[in-house]
Each structure stands twice: as structure tokens, then as C-alpha cells.
Amino acid sequence: MVILLVILHVIVSLFLVGVVLLQQGKSADLAAAFGGQGSQTAFGPRGAANLLTKLTTWSAILFMVTSIGLTILLSRASGDHSVLAGHPTSQSSPKK
């Protein structure tokens, strides 16, 4: 189960990187190359969500779900819940 979830997580993360790199920036027009903002507001115009933004949203949600799932599965699989569980502790008294 863990191997299947790791494979799915890697595929989703590569897909997410690809979809984000394919998207066009908010001010990627010719006027922005010369410093003009045109009729844009402070953060750019909010257009309708196209296919790439929907794919980005769903792949980000799937990435978070697989991350949480991997965390839960791997924490249940390991017996020790502490990093220092196998090491003996030695306490010394402070010098006066």
C-alpha cells in the first residue's frame, strides 16, 4: 500500500510541476514587458478559471492528500515514535 501511494505521490508531484510551468503569468502580455500595467489592478485581473487552473487545483489537493496519507501510514508502520528511542540517556550533575 505504501509503495502504491509513493508512486502515486511522485506522479502527482511531477504532474503538478508540469501544470504550473505551463500556465501563463498574470502580466505576461507585451505591455508588461515595457513596464506598463494597462488596466490591471494591484494583483492583476481575475479571469475565469480555465482548464489549467482547475488541473492545478485538483492536483494540489491530491498532492496534499497523498502527503497526509503517507505521513499517517509511515507513522503507523514504525514502532518507535521518538528519534532518541534506542539511545540510552546519561545524566550528569552540574559542576559547582
Side-chain angles (χ1 to χ4, degrees):
M1 180 73 180
V2 174
I3 295 173
L4 180 67
L5 199 57
V6 168
I7 292 171
L8 179 67
H9 186 71
V10 169
I11 291 171
V12 167
S13 63
L14 292 175
F15 181 75
L16 181 62
V17 168
V19 170
V20 167
L21 288 177
L22 283 176
Q23 289 184 6
Q24 186 177 9
K26 290 198 182 239
S27 60
D29 54 351
L30 186 59
F34 297 107
Q37 288 295 324
S39 64
Q40 295 180 351
T41 59
F43 297 106
R46 175 83 176 151
N50 58 7
L51 179 65
L52 285 177
T53 56
K54 289 180 183 180
L55 286 175
T56 303
T57 303
W58 284 107
S59 59
I61 291 170
L62 191 59
F63 179 81
M64 290 180 215
V65 168
T66 56
S67 298
I68 293 170
L70 279 171
T71 303
I72 292 171
L73 284 177
L74 292 177
S75 70
R76 289 183 182 175
S78 67
D80 295 332
H81 293 291
S82 175
V83 177
L84 300 174
H87 299 287
T89 58
S90 61
Q91 293 180 347
S92 60
S93 61
K95 291 186 177 182
K96 292 184 179 180

